[in-house]
Amino acid sequence: MYAEPLVVSVDWLHSHLDDPDLILLDVSMEQVVGRIPVRYDQPCYLPGALKFDLEQVFVDPDSTLPHTLPSPERFTELARALGISASSRIVVYDNQGIYSSPRAWWMFQVMGHAQVQVLDGGLPAWLAKGHATQTEPGLPRITGDFQAHLQSRWLSDSERVLQALDDPDACVIDARAAARFAGRAAEPRPGLRSGHMPGALNLPFLQLMEGDGYDSLDALAARFARLGVTPDQSLIFSCGSGITACIVLFAAAQLGYHKLSVYDGSWAEWGADDSLPVVTGASVLFLSHGGGPLPLLGDPGHQAMCDNLRGLVGKIPTPEAILVVSAHWEASQPTVTHAANPEMLYDYYGFPEEAYQLQYPAPGFPVFAEKLASTLRSKGIEAQLDATRGYDHGVYVPLMLLYPEASIPCVQLSLMKHLDAEQHLQLGEALADSLDGRVLVVGSGFSFHNMRAFFAASTPETEKMNQDFEDWLQETVSSGALSEAERRMRLVNWQQAPHARYCHPREEHLLPLQVCYGIAGGPCREAYHVEILGKQASVFLW
């Protein structure tokens, strides 16, 4: 069992720096991946801190993989050289706040030394208190008597991961960014396949952070609850090379999970081995579906939209199933269509007779619907099935343009009546792990939906209001300069965007976008402006 508490505060460390058994280790890394690095004008160490090099020293020199755990014999020799003994109380920190310090904590657990803790907030928190630092690492005072005793339960290899993927009592959690997990972003290391292990769950490490440290324990608990994992399961953590996996593992340890291990080879090994299975995430498309059935009736105000959608088909792998989140279905709880052959729902009025003769006979997919509802329930979201709901025009209008042959099975997911942006984003996040590359997700809404404005004469002022919101939305969804935490916050707080309530007096036509982003988890790969009924609207493809 590891030392309690797992973290120590800056105040505690400052008052215990002179404790005779204390060993303070700086475990900062030169290469920081997956977040914007904190940079310093000059080297900066806490007083007396020894350098614990995770990149060049405390590694297996014979491994072709980065950051591989050293043998117990090598770890023993290196730890003794730092003056570490069996009686040592070790505190580890890094210069990013929380980044590589959980890796060092885990390494000591693997080697049988429980008396190690992490400095909450690391070097940034120490500096924020105004405490002294030094520009060189400290020097060991003695040669220690440390002896490593390998605790294999903390360590997993690819064979154990393969077994866990089919074991209901185990779970593999991938700490990489959602876009890498889904295979929509290239791996930073050349030669690796993109995607993830089939059945793995995605919990990007940045979703556990607040500033330079961990979020509150309540927030961490909520994130793990949404994954649907339990303390009884064996949890195996993976990432790109075994560093950020430890951030998520350490969060789980703080919450009381005990069956924890790291797949040390992580994606650096798995992605390079063609014998190991890889899947990718769903394609995701948010589109503005226009006014009622008009796009299908030859209305000139929808020509640009129709051309755009027809042109997108070649950019999307042909799906085996389609999940549509339509703005035209709201329910008290997330609800999924369950009919084998859904009927048509002509949810509009005042259009020519031909608008009520439209047919889209794509089959439903009850088994897929059951899987989606089960996934949501396993993650604490009450979900229902509806065997009577037909396809509304938010479904069949865009799909008749995209896939007119109507041969691909389709299910529809409702919005929630409360229209809370964050809960719709969380709805997408809860589904993301269960949707692979065989699925196309369509968020069918409208990035501009002010009905009065559609029927009023445009003015330079209203055109600018429309354009300002669209520019903000395009930047939010597509900009690589935003962190995912920033992007997520902007979509949750969309009402703070320029002229948000002019463009969306009621937000039901925007919320399919939040669900789409929750599934995609990163910037879109393509963004389009299209003119619909004289207004600027957006289409996003992941």
Side-chain angles (χ1 to χ4, degrees), residues 52-63 65-71 74-75 78 103 107 243:
F52 186 95
D53 190 339
L54 285 169
E55 294 171 289
Q56 303 296 330
V57 179
F58 278 84
V59 296
D60 180 354
D62 298 321
S63 175
L65 300 174
H67 314 134
T68 305
L69 187 75
S71 67
R74 178 176 171 84
F75 194 95
L78 294 171
R103 170 75 179 186
M107 291 172 72
I243 301 297

mmCIF file with all atom_site columns, all heavy atoms in Angstrom, residues 52-63 65-71 74-75 78 103 107 243:
data_model
loop_
_atom_site.group_PDB
_atom_site.id
_atom_site.type_symbol
_atom_site.label_atom_id
_atom_site.label_alt_id
_atom_site.label_comp_id
_atom_site.label_asym_id
_atom_site.label_entity_id
_atom_site.label_seq_id
_atom_site.pdbx_PDB_ins_code
_atom_site.Cartn_x
_atom_site.Cartn_y
_atom_site.Cartn_z
_atom_site.occupancy
_atom_site.B_iso_or_equiv
_atom_site.pdbx_formal_charge
_atom_site.auth_seq_id
_atom_site.auth_comp_id
_atom_site.auth_asym_id
_atom_site.auth_atom_id
_atom_site.pdbx_PDB_model_num
ATOM 1   N N   . PHE A 1 52  ? 16.174 13.669 -10.986 1.00 0.00 ? 52  PHE A N   1
ATOM 2   C CA  . PHE A 1 52  ? 15.752 12.302 -11.281 1.00 0.00 ? 52  PHE A CA  1
ATOM 3   C C   . PHE A 1 52  ? 15.363 12.293 -12.752 1.00 0.00 ? 52  PHE A C   1
ATOM 4   O O   . PHE A 1 52  ? 14.266 12.717 -13.135 1.00 0.00 ? 52  PHE A O   1
ATOM 5   C CB  . PHE A 1 52  ? 14.573 11.935 -10.380 1.00 0.00 ? 52  PHE A CB  1
ATOM 6   C CG  . PHE A 1 52  ? 14.106 10.500 -10.465 1.00 0.00 ? 52  PHE A CG  1
ATOM 7   C CD1 . PHE A 1 52  ? 14.568 9.552  -9.568  1.00 0.00 ? 52  PHE A CD1 1
ATOM 8   C CD2 . PHE A 1 52  ? 13.180 10.111 -11.422 1.00 0.00 ? 52  PHE A CD2 1
ATOM 9   C CE1 . PHE A 1 52  ? 14.115 8.236  -9.625  1.00 0.00 ? 52  PHE A CE1 1
ATOM 10  C CE2 . PHE A 1 52  ? 12.720 8.803  -11.487 1.00 0.00 ? 52  PHE A CE2 1
ATOM 11  C CZ  . PHE A 1 52  ? 13.189 7.864  -10.597 1.00 0.00 ? 52  PHE A CZ  1
ATOM 12  N N   . ASP A 1 53  ? 16.260 11.835 -13.599 1.00 0.00 ? 53  ASP A N   1
ATOM 13  C CA  . ASP A 1 53  ? 16.121 11.971 -15.056 1.00 0.00 ? 53  ASP A CA  1
ATOM 14  C C   . ASP A 1 53  ? 15.308 10.806 -15.618 1.00 0.00 ? 53  ASP A C   1
ATOM 15  O O   . ASP A 1 53  ? 15.785 9.675  -15.721 1.00 0.00 ? 53  ASP A O   1
ATOM 16  C CB  . ASP A 1 53  ? 17.507 12.018 -15.703 1.00 0.00 ? 53  ASP A CB  1
ATOM 17  C CG  . ASP A 1 53  ? 17.448 12.386 -17.172 1.00 0.00 ? 53  ASP A CG  1
ATOM 18  O OD1 . ASP A 1 53  ? 16.388 12.221 -17.790 1.00 0.00 ? 53  ASP A OD1 1
ATOM 19  O OD2 . ASP A 1 53  ? 18.489 12.825 -17.715 1.00 0.00 ? 53  ASP A OD2 1
ATOM 20  N N   . LEU A 1 54  ? 14.063 11.114 -16.026 1.00 0.00 ? 54  LEU A N   1
ATOM 21  C CA  . LEU A 1 54  ? 13.158 10.103 -16.569 1.00 0.00 ? 54  LEU A CA  1
ATOM 22  C C   . LEU A 1 54  ? 13.400 9.824  -18.047 1.00 0.00 ? 54  LEU A C   1
ATOM 23  O O   . LEU A 1 54  ? 12.870 8.841  -18.579 1.00 0.00 ? 54  LEU A O   1
ATOM 24  C CB  . LEU A 1 54  ? 11.703 10.569 -16.412 1.00 0.00 ? 54  LEU A CB  1
ATOM 25  C CG  . LEU A 1 54  ? 11.082 10.507 -15.017 1.00 0.00 ? 54  LEU A CG  1
ATOM 26  C CD1 . LEU A 1 54  ? 9.766  11.254 -15.007 1.00 0.00 ? 54  LEU A CD1 1
ATOM 27  C CD2 . LEU A 1 54  ? 10.859 9.071  -14.610 1.00 0.00 ? 54  LEU A CD2 1
ATOM 28  N N   . GLU A 1 55  ? 14.169 10.674 -18.689 1.00 0.00 ? 55  GLU A N   1
ATOM 29  C CA  . GLU A 1 55  ? 14.318 10.555 -20.141 1.00 0.00 ? 55  GLU A CA  1
ATOM 30  C C   . GLU A 1 55  ? 15.596 9.845  -20.569 1.00 0.00 ? 55  GLU A C   1
ATOM 31  O O   . GLU A 1 55  ? 15.610 9.152  -21.596 1.00 0.00 ? 55  GLU A O   1
ATOM 32  C CB  . GLU A 1 55  ? 14.264 11.961 -20.774 1.00 0.00 ? 55  GLU A CB  1
ATOM 33  C CG  . GLU A 1 55  ? 12.899 12.607 -20.622 1.00 0.00 ? 55  GLU A CG  1
ATOM 34  C CD  . GLU A 1 55  ? 12.894 14.067 -21.046 1.00 0.00 ? 55  GLU A CD  1
ATOM 35  O OE1 . GLU A 1 55  ? 13.487 14.908 -20.326 1.00 0.00 ? 55  GLU A OE1 1
ATOM 36  O OE2 . GLU A 1 55  ? 12.290 14.368 -22.090 1.00 0.00 ? 55  GLU A OE2 1
ATOM 37  N N   . GLN A 1 56  ? 16.680 10.006 -19.794 1.00 0.00 ? 56  GLN A N   1
ATOM 38  C CA  . GLN A 1 56  ? 17.965 9.438  -20.203 1.00 0.00 ? 56  GLN A CA  1
ATOM 39  C C   . GLN A 1 56  ? 18.581 8.483  -19.191 1.00 0.00 ? 56  GLN A C   1
ATOM 40  O O   . GLN A 1 56  ? 19.421 7.658  -19.566 1.00 0.00 ? 56  GLN A O   1
ATOM 41  C CB  . GLN A 1 56  ? 18.964 10.590 -20.474 1.00 0.00 ? 56  GLN A CB  1
ATOM 42  C CG  . GLN A 1 56  ? 18.510 11.607 -21.507 1.00 0.00 ? 56  GLN A CG  1
ATOM 43  C CD  . GLN A 1 56  ? 18.352 11.007 -22.883 1.00 0.00 ? 56  GLN A CD  1
ATOM 44  O OE1 . GLN A 1 56  ? 19.059 10.049 -23.238 1.00 0.00 ? 56  GLN A OE1 1
ATOM 45  N NE2 . GLN A 1 56  ? 17.447 11.556 -23.682 1.00 0.00 ? 56  GLN A NE2 1
ATOM 46  N N   . VAL A 1 57  ? 18.197 8.565  -17.937 1.00 0.00 ? 57  VAL A N   1
ATOM 47  C CA  . VAL A 1 57  ? 18.888 7.819  -16.884 1.00 0.00 ? 57  VAL A CA  1
ATOM 48  C C   . VAL A 1 57  ? 18.006 6.714  -16.313 1.00 0.00 ? 57  VAL A C   1
ATOM 49  O O   . VAL A 1 57  ? 18.353 5.529  -16.387 1.00 0.00 ? 57  VAL A O   1
ATOM 50  C CB  . VAL A 1 57  ? 19.369 8.772  -15.770 1.00 0.00 ? 57  VAL A CB  1
ATOM 51  C CG1 . VAL A 1 57  ? 20.071 7.978  -14.662 1.00 0.00 ? 57  VAL A CG1 1
ATOM 52  C CG2 . VAL A 1 57  ? 20.311 9.833  -16.350 1.00 0.00 ? 57  VAL A CG2 1
ATOM 53  N N   . PHE A 1 58  ? 16.875 7.073  -15.742 1.00 0.00 ? 58  PHE A N   1
ATOM 54  C CA  . PHE A 1 58  ? 15.990 6.077  -15.135 1.00 0.00 ? 58  PHE A CA  1
ATOM 55  C C   . PHE A 1 58  ? 15.120 5.428  -16.220 1.00 0.00 ? 58  PHE A C   1
ATOM 56  O O   . PHE A 1 58  ? 13.890 5.513  -16.216 1.00 0.00 ? 58  PHE A O   1
ATOM 57  C CB  . PHE A 1 58  ? 15.138 6.719  -14.045 1.00 0.00 ? 58  PHE A CB  1
ATOM 58  C CG  . PHE A 1 58  ? 15.863 6.849  -12.732 1.00 0.00 ? 58  PHE A CG  1
ATOM 59  C CD1 . PHE A 1 58  ? 16.689 7.940  -12.505 1.00 0.00 ? 58  PHE A CD1 1
ATOM 60  C CD2 . PHE A 1 58  ? 15.752 5.880  -11.744 1.00 0.00 ? 58  PHE A CD2 1
ATOM 61  C CE1 . PHE A 1 58  ? 17.375 8.071  -11.300 1.00 0.00 ? 58  PHE A CE1 1
ATOM 62  C CE2 . PHE A 1 58  ? 16.437 5.994  -10.543 1.00 0.00 ? 58  PHE A CE2 1
ATOM 63  C CZ  . PHE A 1 58  ? 17.255 7.087  -10.310 1.00 0.00 ? 58  PHE A CZ  1
ATOM 64  N N   . VAL A 1 59  ? 15.793 4.784  -17.163 1.00 0.00 ? 59  VAL A N   1
ATOM 65  C CA  . VAL A 1 59  ? 15.158 4.099  -18.289 1.00 0.00 ? 59  VAL A CA  1
ATOM 66  C C   . VAL A 1 59  ? 15.927 2.808  -18.555 1.00 0.00 ? 59  VAL A C   1
ATOM 67  O O   . VAL A 1 59  ? 17.017 2.587  -18.020 1.00 0.00 ? 59  VAL A O   1
ATOM 68  C CB  . VAL A 1 59  ? 15.151 4.976  -19.564 1.00 0.00 ? 59  VAL A CB  1
ATOM 69  C CG1 . VAL A 1 59  ? 14.317 6.221  -19.364 1.00 0.00 ? 59  VAL A CG1 1
ATOM 70  C CG2 . VAL A 1 59  ? 16.579 5.344  -19.975 1.00 0.00 ? 59  VAL A CG2 1
ATOM 71  N N   . ASP A 1 60  ? 15.346 1.978  -19.405 1.00 0.00 ? 60  ASP A N   1
ATOM 72  C CA  . ASP A 1 60  ? 16.031 0.772  -19.859 1.00 0.00 ? 60  ASP A CA  1
ATOM 73  C C   . ASP A 1 60  ? 16.882 1.132  -21.070 1.00 0.00 ? 60  ASP A C   1
ATOM 74  O O   . ASP A 1 60  ? 16.349 1.410  -22.143 1.00 0.00 ? 60  ASP A O   1
ATOM 75  C CB  . ASP A 1 60  ? 15.003 -0.294 -20.231 1.00 0.00 ? 60  ASP A CB  1
ATOM 76  C CG  . ASP A 1 60  ? 15.634 -1.586 -20.717 1.00 0.00 ? 60  ASP A CG  1
ATOM 77  O OD1 . ASP A 1 60  ? 16.869 -1.631 -20.880 1.00 0.00 ? 60  ASP A OD1 1
ATOM 78  O OD2 . ASP A 1 60  ? 14.883 -2.549 -20.958 1.00 0.00 ? 60  ASP A OD2 1
ATOM 79  N N   . PRO A 1 61  ? 18.207 1.163  -20.957 1.00 0.00 ? 61  PRO A N   1
ATOM 80  C CA  . PRO A 1 61  ? 19.060 1.605  -22.068 1.00 0.00 ? 61  PRO A CA  1
ATOM 81  C C   . PRO A 1 61  ? 19.012 0.661  -23.271 1.00 0.00 ? 61  PRO A C   1
ATOM 82  O O   . PRO A 1 61  ? 19.404 1.048  -24.375 1.00 0.00 ? 61  PRO A O   1
ATOM 83  C CB  . PRO A 1 61  ? 20.451 1.666  -21.455 1.00 0.00 ? 61  PRO A CB  1
ATOM 84  C CG  . PRO A 1 61  ? 20.405 0.695  -20.320 1.00 0.00 ? 61  PRO A CG  1
ATOM 85  C CD  . PRO A 1 61  ? 19.010 0.772  -19.777 1.00 0.00 ? 61  PRO A CD  1
ATOM 86  N N   . ASP A 1 62  ? 18.525 -0.556 -23.078 1.00 0.00 ? 62  ASP A N   1
ATOM 87  C CA  . ASP A 1 62  ? 18.491 -1.532 -24.167 1.00 0.00 ? 62  ASP A CA  1
ATOM 88  C C   . ASP A 1 62  ? 17.154 -1.556 -24.903 1.00 0.00 ? 62  ASP A C   1
ATOM 89  O O   . ASP A 1 62  ? 17.002 -2.286 -25.883 1.00 0.00 ? 62  ASP A O   1
ATOM 90  C CB  . ASP A 1 62  ? 18.786 -2.937 -23.623 1.00 0.00 ? 62  ASP A CB  1
ATOM 91  C CG  . ASP A 1 62  ? 20.173 -3.032 -23.000 1.00 0.00 ? 62  ASP A CG  1
ATOM 92  O OD1 . ASP A 1 62  ? 21.111 -2.428 -23.569 1.00 0.00 ? 62  ASP A OD1 1
ATOM 93  O OD2 . ASP A 1 62  ? 20.311 -3.701 -21.963 1.00 0.00 ? 62  ASP A OD2 1
ATOM 94  N N   . SER A 1 63  ? 16.206 -0.782 -24.421 1.00 0.00 ? 63  SER A N   1
ATOM 95  C CA  . SER A 1 63  ? 14.888 -0.778 -25.058 1.00 0.00 ? 63  SER A CA  1
ATOM 96  C C   . SER A 1 63  ? 14.860 0.181  -26.242 1.00 0.00 ? 63  SER A C   1
ATOM 97  O O   . SER A 1 63  ? 15.471 1.255  -26.208 1.00 0.00 ? 63  SER A O   1
ATOM 98  C CB  . SER A 1 63  ? 13.811 -0.374 -24.050 1.00 0.00 ? 63  SER A CB  1
ATOM 99  O OG  . SER A 1 63  ? 12.548 -0.261 -24.679 1.00 0.00 ? 63  SER A OG  1
ATOM 100 N N   . LEU A 1 65  ? 12.043 1.463  -27.113 1.00 0.00 ? 65  LEU A N   1
ATOM 101 C CA  . LEU A 1 65  ? 10.877 2.296  -26.812 1.00 0.00 ? 65  LEU A CA  1
ATOM 102 C C   . LEU A 1 65  ? 11.266 3.428  -25.867 1.00 0.00 ? 65  LEU A C   1
ATOM 103 O O   . LEU A 1 65  ? 12.163 3.273  -25.039 1.00 0.00 ? 65  LEU A O   1
ATOM 104 C CB  . LEU A 1 65  ? 9.781  1.448  -26.166 1.00 0.00 ? 65  LEU A CB  1
ATOM 105 C CG  . LEU A 1 65  ? 9.245  0.282  -27.008 1.00 0.00 ? 65  LEU A CG  1
ATOM 106 C CD1 . LEU A 1 65  ? 8.285  -0.560 -26.185 1.00 0.00 ? 65  LEU A CD1 1
ATOM 107 C CD2 . LEU A 1 65  ? 8.576  0.792  -28.274 1.00 0.00 ? 65  LEU A CD2 1
ATOM 108 N N   . PRO A 1 66  ? 10.594 4.561  -25.962 1.00 0.00 ? 66  PRO A N   1
ATOM 109 C CA  . PRO A 1 66  ? 10.930 5.688  -25.084 1.00 0.00 ? 66  PRO A CA  1
ATOM 110 C C   . PRO A 1 66  ? 10.462 5.461  -23.648 1.00 0.00 ? 66  PRO A C   1
ATOM 111 O O   . PRO A 1 66  ? 9.406  4.852  -23.410 1.00 0.00 ? 66  PRO A O   1
ATOM 112 C CB  . PRO A 1 66  ? 10.188 6.862  -25.730 1.00 0.00 ? 66  PRO A CB  1
ATOM 113 C CG  . PRO A 1 66  ? 9.033  6.232  -26.456 1.00 0.00 ? 66  PRO A CG  1
ATOM 114 C CD  . PRO A 1 66  ? 9.532  4.895  -26.934 1.00 0.00 ? 66  PRO A CD  1
ATOM 115 N N   . HIS A 1 67  ? 11.240 5.927  -22.702 1.00 0.00 ? 67  HIS A N   1
ATOM 116 C CA  . HIS A 1 67  ? 10.871 6.014  -21.286 1.00 0.00 ? 67  HIS A CA  1
ATOM 117 C C   . HIS A 1 67  ? 10.589 4.665  -20.640 1.00 0.00 ? 67  HIS A C   1
ATOM 118 O O   . HIS A 1 67  ? 9.893  4.593  -19.627 1.00 0.00 ? 67  HIS A O   1
ATOM 119 C CB  . HIS A 1 67  ? 9.631  6.917  -21.098 1.00 0.00 ? 67  HIS A CB  1
ATOM 120 C CG  . HIS A 1 67  ? 9.696  8.204  -21.859 1.00 0.00 ? 67  HIS A CG  1
ATOM 121 N ND1 . HIS A 1 67  ? 8.642  8.688  -22.605 1.00 0.00 ? 67  HIS A ND1 1
ATOM 122 C CD2 . HIS A 1 67  ? 10.702 9.088  -22.017 1.00 0.00 ? 67  HIS A CD2 1
ATOM 123 C CE1 . HIS A 1 67  ? 8.983  9.829  -23.171 1.00 0.00 ? 67  HIS A CE1 1
ATOM 124 N NE2 . HIS A 1 67  ? 10.234 10.096 -22.826 1.00 0.00 ? 67  HIS A NE2 1
ATOM 125 N N   . THR A 1 68  ? 11.130 3.592  -21.191 1.00 0.00 ? 68  THR A N   1
ATOM 126 C CA  . THR A 1 68  ? 10.840 2.266  -20.650 1.00 0.00 ? 68  THR A CA  1
ATOM 127 C C   . THR A 1 68  ? 11.404 2.116  -19.241 1.00 0.00 ? 68  THR A C   1
ATOM 128 O O   . THR A 1 68  ? 12.520 2.541  -18.937 1.00 0.00 ? 68  THR A O   1
ATOM 129 C CB  . THR A 1 68  ? 11.441 1.185  -21.554 1.00 0.00 ? 68  THR A CB  1
ATOM 130 O OG1 . THR A 1 68  ? 10.948 1.372  -22.884 1.00 0.00 ? 68  THR A OG1 1
ATOM 131 C CG2 . THR A 1 68  ? 11.057 -0.200 -21.086 1.00 0.00 ? 68  THR A CG2 1
ATOM 132 N N   . LEU A 1 69  ? 10.632 1.480  -18.382 1.00 0.00 ? 69  LEU A N   1
ATOM 133 C CA  . LEU A 1 69  ? 11.033 1.249  -16.999 1.00 0.00 ? 69  LEU A CA  1
ATOM 134 C C   . LEU A 1 69  ? 12.355 0.472  -16.949 1.00 0.00 ? 69  LEU A C   1
ATOM 135 O O   . LEU A 1 69  ? 12.501 -0.544 -17.626 1.00 0.00 ? 69  LEU A O   1
ATOM 136 C CB  . LEU A 1 69  ? 9.942  0.452  -16.291 1.00 0.00 ? 69  LEU A CB  1
ATOM 137 C CG  . LEU A 1 69  ? 10.082 0.245  -14.790 1.00 0.00 ? 69  LEU A CG  1
ATOM 138 C CD1 . LEU A 1 69  ? 9.750  1.536  -14.046 1.00 0.00 ? 69  LEU A CD1 1
ATOM 139 C CD2 . LEU A 1 69  ? 9.149  -0.887 -14.333 1.00 0.00 ? 69  LEU A CD2 1
ATOM 140 N N   . PRO A 1 70  ? 13.320 0.918  -16.135 1.00 0.00 ? 70  PRO A N   1
ATOM 141 C CA  . PRO A 1 70  ? 14.569 0.158  -16.011 1.00 0.00 ? 70  PRO A CA  1
ATOM 142 C C   . PRO A 1 70  ? 14.366 -1.120 -15.204 1.00 0.00 ? 70  PRO A C   1
ATOM 143 O O   . PRO A 1 70  ? 13.356 -1.284 -14.507 1.00 0.00 ? 70  PRO A O   1
ATOM 144 C CB  . PRO A 1 70  ? 15.502 1.130  -15.279 1.00 0.00 ? 70  PRO A CB  1
ATOM 145 C CG  . PRO A 1 70  ? 14.587 2.015  -14.500 1.00 0.00 ? 70  PRO A CG  1
ATOM 146 C CD  . PRO A 1 70  ? 13.339 2.156  -15.332 1.00 0.00 ? 70  PRO A CD  1
ATOM 147 N N   . SER A 1 71  ? 15.319 -2.002 -15.286 1.00 0.00 ? 71  SER A N   1
ATOM 148 C CA  . SER A 1 71  ? 15.272 -3.229 -14.483 1.00 0.00 ? 71  SER A CA  1
ATOM 149 C C   . SER A 1 71  ? 15.399 -2.873 -13.007 1.00 0.00 ? 71  SER A C   1
ATOM 150 O O   . SER A 1 71  ? 15.923 -1.810 -12.640 1.00 0.00 ? 71  SER A O   1
ATOM 151 C CB  . SER A 1 71  ? 16.415 -4.157 -14.878 1.00 0.00 ? 71  SER A CB  1
ATOM 152 O OG  . SER A 1 71  ? 17.661 -3.571 -14.500 1.00 0.00 ? 71  SER A OG  1
ATOM 153 N N   . ARG A 1 74  ? 19.057 -2.044 -12.186 1.00 0.00 ? 74  ARG A N   1
ATOM 154 C CA  . ARG A 1 74  ? 19.496 -0.708 -12.607 1.00 0.00 ? 74  ARG A CA  1
ATOM 155 C C   . ARG A 1 74  ? 18.861 0.361  -11.725 1.00 0.00 ? 74  ARG A C   1
ATOM 156 O O   . ARG A 1 74  ? 19.518 1.320  -11.303 1.00 0.00 ? 74  ARG A O   1
ATOM 157 C CB  . ARG A 1 74  ? 19.136 -0.476 -14.079 1.00 0.00 ? 74  ARG A CB  1
ATOM 158 C CG  . ARG A 1 74  ? 19.519 0.916  -14.589 1.00 0.00 ? 74  ARG A CG  1
ATOM 159 C CD  . ARG A 1 74  ? 19.227 1.052  -16.090 1.00 0.00 ? 74  ARG A CD  1
ATOM 160 N NE  . ARG A 1 74  ? 19.392 2.415  -16.553 1.00 0.00 ? 74  ARG A NE  1
ATOM 161 C CZ  . ARG A 1 74  ? 20.542 2.966  -16.921 1.00 0.00 ? 74  ARG A CZ  1
ATOM 162 N NH1 . ARG A 1 74  ? 21.666 2.248  -16.844 1.00 0.00 ? 74  ARG A NH1 1
ATOM 163 N NH2 . ARG A 1 74  ? 20.612 4.209  -17.342 1.00 0.00 ? 74  ARG A NH2 1
ATOM 164 N N   . PHE A 1 75  ? 17.577 0.205  -11.430 1.00 0.00 ? 75  PHE A N   1
ATOM 165 C CA  . PHE A 1 75  ? 16.890 1.185  -10.587 1.00 0.00 ? 75  PHE A CA  1
ATOM 166 C C   . PHE A 1 75  ? 17.549 1.241  -9.207  1.00 0.00 ? 75  PHE A C   1
ATOM 167 O O   . PHE A 1 75  ? 17.754 2.333  -8.650  1.00 0.00 ? 75  PHE A O   1
ATOM 168 C CB  . PHE A 1 75  ? 15.408 0.813  -10.460 1.00 0.00 ? 75  PHE A CB  1
ATOM 169 C CG  . PHE A 1 75  ? 14.549 1.921  -9.912  1.00 0.00 ? 75  PHE A CG  1
ATOM 170 C CD1 . PHE A 1 75  ? 13.872 2.780  -10.760 1.00 0.00 ? 75  PHE A CD1 1
ATOM 171 C CD2 . PHE A 1 75  ? 14.410 2.110  -8.540  1.00 0.00 ? 75  PHE A CD2 1
ATOM 172 C CE1 . PHE A 1 75  ? 13.078 3.806  -10.253 1.00 0.00 ? 75  PHE A CE1 1
ATOM 173 C CE2 . PHE A 1 75  ? 13.632 3.125  -8.020  1.00 0.00 ? 75  PHE A CE2 1
ATOM 174 C CZ  . PHE A 1 75  ? 12.958 3.973  -8.886  1.00 0.00 ? 75  PHE A CZ  1
ATOM 175 N N   . LEU A 1 78  ? 20.876 3.203  -9.441  1.00 0.00 ? 78  LEU A N   1
ATOM 176 C CA  . LEU A 1 78  ? 20.681 4.636  -9.663  1.00 0.00 ? 78  LEU A CA  1
ATOM 177 C C   . LEU A 1 78  ? 20.073 5.315  -8.441  1.00 0.00 ? 78  LEU A C   1
ATOM 178 O O   . LEU A 1 78  ? 20.448 6.445  -8.096  1.00 0.00 ? 78  LEU A O   1
ATOM 179 C CB  . LEU A 1 78  ? 19.779 4.842  -10.884 1.00 0.00 ? 78  LEU A CB  1
ATOM 180 C CG  . LEU A 1 78  ? 20.359 4.388  -12.234 1.00 0.00 ? 78  LEU A CG  1
ATOM 181 C CD1 . LEU A 1 78  ? 19.293 4.430  -13.315 1.00 0.00 ? 78  LEU A CD1 1
ATOM 182 C CD2 . LEU A 1 78  ? 21.549 5.261  -12.627 1.00 0.00 ? 78  LEU A CD2 1
ATOM 183 N N   . ARG A 1 103 ? 4.559  9.824  -12.877 1.00 0.00 ? 103 ARG A N   1
ATOM 184 C CA  . ARG A 1 103 ? 5.342  8.715  -13.431 1.00 0.00 ? 103 ARG A CA  1
ATOM 185 C C   . ARG A 1 103 ? 6.398  8.269  -12.414 1.00 0.00 ? 103 ARG A C   1
ATOM 186 O O   . ARG A 1 103 ? 6.588  7.064  -12.189 1.00 0.00 ? 103 ARG A O   1
ATOM 187 C CB  . ARG A 1 103 ? 6.008  9.155  -14.734 1.00 0.00 ? 103 ARG A CB  1
ATOM 188 C CG  . ARG A 1 103 ? 7.051  8.190  -15.304 1.00 0.00 ? 103 ARG A CG  1
ATOM 189 C CD  . ARG A 1 103 ? 6.456  6.978  -15.956 1.00 0.00 ? 103 ARG A CD  1
ATOM 190 N NE  . ARG A 1 103 ? 7.482  6.091  -16.520 1.00 0.00 ? 103 ARG A NE  1
ATOM 191 C CZ  . ARG A 1 103 ? 7.230  5.016  -17.244 1.00 0.00 ? 103 ARG A CZ  1
ATOM 192 N NH1 . ARG A 1 103 ? 5.977  4.687  -17.527 1.00 0.00 ? 103 ARG A NH1 1
ATOM 193 N NH2 . ARG A 1 103 ? 8.204  4.263  -17.695 1.00 0.00 ? 103 ARG A NH2 1
ATOM 194 N N   . MET A 1 107 ? 6.780  4.644  -10.577 1.00 0.00 ? 107 MET A N   1
ATOM 195 C CA  . MET A 1 107 ? 8.004  3.847  -10.668 1.00 0.00 ? 107 MET A CA  1
ATOM 196 C C   . MET A 1 107 ? 8.445  3.349  -9.291  1.00 0.00 ? 107 MET A C   1
ATOM 197 O O   . MET A 1 107 ? 8.868  2.194  -9.137  1.00 0.00 ? 107 MET A O   1
ATOM 198 C CB  . MET A 1 107 ? 9.116  4.663  -11.333 1.00 0.00 ? 107 MET A CB  1
ATOM 199 C CG  . MET A 1 107 ? 8.872  4.946  -12.809 1.00 0.00 ? 107 MET A CG  1
ATOM 200 S SD  . MET A 1 107 ? 10.076 6.097  -13.529 1.00 0.00 ? 107 MET A SD  1
ATOM 201 C CE  . MET A 1 107 ? 11.542 5.066  -13.593 1.00 0.00 ? 107 MET A CE  1
ATOM 202 N N   . ILE A 1 243 ? 4.028  8.092  -19.898 1.00 0.00 ? 243 ILE A N   1
ATOM 203 C CA  . ILE A 1 243 ? 4.179  9.235  -18.986 1.00 0.00 ? 243 ILE A CA  1
ATOM 204 C C   . ILE A 1 243 ? 2.814  9.720  -18.514 1.00 0.00 ? 243 ILE A C   1
ATOM 205 O O   . ILE A 1 243 ? 2.494  9.684  -17.322 1.00 0.00 ? 243 ILE A O   1
ATOM 206 C CB  . ILE A 1 243 ? 4.961  10.380 -19.646 1.00 0.00 ? 243 ILE A CB  1
ATOM 207 C CG1 . ILE A 1 243 ? 6.350  9.906  -20.072 1.00 0.00 ? 243 ILE A CG1 1
ATOM 208 C CG2 . ILE A 1 243 ? 5.072  11.565 -18.670 1.00 0.00 ? 243 ILE A CG2 1
ATOM 209 C CD1 . ILE A 1 243 ? 7.247  9.457  -18.951 1.00 0.00 ? 243 ILE A CD1 1
#
